[in-house]
Amino acid sequence: MTLDDLRAFVAVCESGSLSAVARELGCTQSAVSQRVKRLERELGITLLERQPRGVSPTQAGRVLHRSAAEGLGGLDQALRLLRDMRRGGGGTVRVTTGATTVRHFMSAGVVAFRDRHPDVNLEFQTENSTRACLAALAANAADLAWITIRPPVRGVEQRPVTELPWVLAVRADDPLAAHTEIGPEQLATIRHIRLPENSTSRLRLDEYLTRQGSGPVSTTSVADWDTAILLAELGLGHAVVPALPGWHETARRDLRLIPIPWLPPLAAGWAVRQWDALSPVAVAFAETVAAALHRAPGDAR
């Protein structure tokens, strides 16, 4: 059993195709098949079974795939760290996050980090949900994921950084704009602009509203928080959104953001496979972003 055999097996499990993995590795389909057969002979059990289209892991194959993928991901991360340590000073930080996260949560942190670490490469990968960000971590396609904090996830360490209270975004001439806060009775009357379907924020909000019996009528759905706020400002409905850093209604003449104090706030922060295995520059980036978020407005340090 070699690392190359395990890598080929993991790739086949994830693609469901021997030929696709052969093209990716630049070898023949027979060579990929032989790697899998070598594992099966050594372990004495069938790992893959043929399907009408492609292949899929057996129960034993799923057990090996899960463990091998985790082990190879950790090994690849360690090898990257060792290469960065050998080169010294530089390296790469790979961050996965939502489409609007950098603007709202990281802009000051990115600038501060770049000033301190000009030789480090920053790679940002956009995903449309916390689940997709966690999948990128599991596939070792990212070092850090900025997510909406959720219940514990196997193989992932989460670190909350900030809490986001909920607000109702409405047009300034809307009757609800005169309220200083929004209660369940007002929320039940809104024309709701729904948050992204697969997002943790929408799942949490739907859970809270169902529990309160305040489910409003939904007229529109969007792909991100910024679009929800913009549509509310245009008068196309009402958006229940987290109060994002940097959003100030005073800068938007036609917008009002009204607190909803009875909804529990969302927590947002970092997720990683293992903090102790991160490179020093990845840790520095995570800490710099967190420090910038907690810094008082106008503090330029």
Side-chain angles (χ1 to χ4, degrees):
M1 182 186 304
T2 67
L3 287 177
D4 286 341
D5 292 343
L6 288 171
R7 290 185 193 279
F9 171 72
V10 168
V12 170
C13 288
E14 292 174 355
S15 70
S17 169
L18 292 167
S19 59
V21 173
R23 288 193 297 271
E24 182 181 337
L25 297 179
C27 63
T28 65
Q29 180 173 327
S30 176
V32 175
S33 180
Q34 286 304 312
R35 291 192 178 281
V36 176
K37 289 183 182 301
R38 188 157 49 228
L39 289 173
E40 291 179 328
R41 285 195 302 270
E42 184 165 342
L43 296 171
I45 195 167
T46 301
L47 299 174
L48 293 178
E49 56 188 1
R50 292 200 172 274
Q51 301 293 336
R53 292 186 177 181
V55 295
S56 65
T58 62
Q59 182 178 1
R62 289 192 293 272
V63 171
L64 180 61
H65 170 237
R66 183 167 55 247
S67 297
E70 290 180 359
L72 290 170
L75 177 61
D76 289 341
Q77 189 171 13
L79 292 175
R80 288 184 58 253
L81 174 56
L82 292 174
R83 286 194 293 268
D84 290 346
M85 292 171 65
R86 185 180 68 244
R87 287 195 297 264
T92 299
V93 180
R94 303 171 302 164
V95 182
T96 181
T97 185
T100 63
T101 299
V102 175
R103 179 189 308 124
H104 292 301
F105 296 95
M106 296 187 192
S107 54
V110 168
V111 172
F113 180 83
R114 176 57 70 217
D115 288 342
R116 298 168 193 166
H117 304 276
D119 298 327
V120 175
N121 295 319
L122 291 174
E123 297 180 1
F124 292 94
Q125 174 182 332
T126 300
E127 299 290 354
N128 62 4
S129 68
T130 289
R131 183 181 304 172
C133 289
L134 294 178
L137 279 183
N140 197 37
D143 306 307
L144 296 160
W146 182 271
I147 65 168
T148 302
I149 300 298
R150 54 190 297 167
V153 178
R154 184 175 180 270
V156 174
E157 297 181 19
Q158 300 181 66
R159 183 172 294 181
V161 173
T162 187
E163 285 197 338
L164 307 172
W166 293 93
V167 296
L168 182 69
V170 302
R171 187 174 169 84
D173 58 4
D174 189 282
L176 290 174
H179 289 261
T180 57
E181 63 180 51
I182 298 295
E185 62 281 1
Q186 288 90 29
L187 204 60
T189 68
I190 69 172
R191 293 176 292 117
H192 190 201
I193 300 170
R194 300 196 76 182
L195 298 175
E197 184 173 358
N198 295 324
S199 67
T200 300
S201 55
R202 172 165 165 175
L203 294 174
R204 293 281 179 81
L205 179 60
D206 287 350
E207 177 187 331
Y208 298 149
L209 295 181
T210 299
R211 191 182 305 158
Q212 292 289 331
S214 306
V217 174
S218 177
T219 59
T220 312
S221 61
V222 295
D224 58 70
W225 295 336
D226 277 355
T227 303
I229 292 173
L230 175 60
L231 294 182
E233 184 180 12
L234 294 174
L236 299 183
H238 308 84
V240 181
V241 293
L244 303 175
W247 266 104
H248 301 291
E249 64 179 24
T250 54
R252 310 287 292 261
R253 184 176 57 186
D254 296 326
L255 179 70
R256 295 292 181 269
L257 300 175
I258 310 168
I260 311 176
W262 51 276
L263 284 179
L266 285 179
W270 291 115
V272 303
R273 288 170 61 91
Q274 189 176 353
W275 282 101
D276 291 344
L278 284 180
S279 68
V281 289
V283 173
F285 181 80
E287 292 177 346
T288 301
V289 168
L293 275 175
H294 293 152
R295 195 170 295 144
D299 187 345
R301 289 179 297 171

